[in-house]
Amino acid sequence: MTLSEQIITIGMVVLGTMLTRFIPFILFPSGRPTPRYVQYLGAMLPAAALGLLVVYSIKDISFLTGSHGLPELIAIAAIVLLHKWRGNMLISIAGGTLLYMFLVQFIFGS
């Protein structure tokens, strides 16, 4: 990239970042109530994003070869149990991740 192309690229990134930060404040000022569809999206999107991550994480598991998806299924079960027990998403995710890494490295590793 030439110097002018680099400057243009940086400028476009800055502009894009600024627009994504400022547009919500312009469209939804603090004096007006938040529209119901935005409130609905705010309530539903976090769970949808986590569901999408779960599906993406297990999409390539082969239940007919290797460890048959056992480390993944054990870690998912641990996440569910931790979340039911403690109700803290950070503890649930961290505990499941640590358990999965242990299982893959020491129990099911080749």
Side-chain angles (χ1 to χ4, degrees):
M1 258 196 235
T2 65
L3 180 60
S4 60
E5 289 173 336
Q6 290 177 355
I7 292 171
I8 291 170
T9 301
I10 292 170
M12 296 305 289
V13 169
V14 168
L15 179 66
T17 302
M18 289 175 62
L19 284 175
T20 57
R21 301 287 185 191
F22 296 149
I23 285 178
F25 294 103
I26 294 168
L27 293 177
F28 309 114
S30 61
R32 291 187 352 209
T34 306
R36 292 184 55 77
Y37 69 91
V38 174
Q39 292 175 357
Y40 173 77
L41 289 175
M44 294 296 124
L45 284 180
L50 287 176
L52 179 70
L53 287 172
V54 169
V55 170
Y56 181 77
S57 297
I58 62 175
K59 71 178 176 55
D60 291 327
I61 294 175
S62 175
F63 293 103
L64 302 175
T65 61
S67 61
H68 308 289
L70 284 175
E72 292 85 357
L73 295 174
I74 292 169
I76 290 171
I79 290 169
V80 170
L81 292 173
L82 280 170
H83 197 69
K84 290 284 185 189
W85 177 49
R86 300 298 294 177
N88 185 321
M89 193 175 296
L90 182 61
I91 291 173
S92 305
I93 294 171
T97 301
L98 290 172
L99 176 62
Y100 175 74
M101 296 310 292
F102 175 79
L103 291 172
V104 170
Q105 294 293 322
F106 299 110
I107 307 298
F108 293 99
S110 24

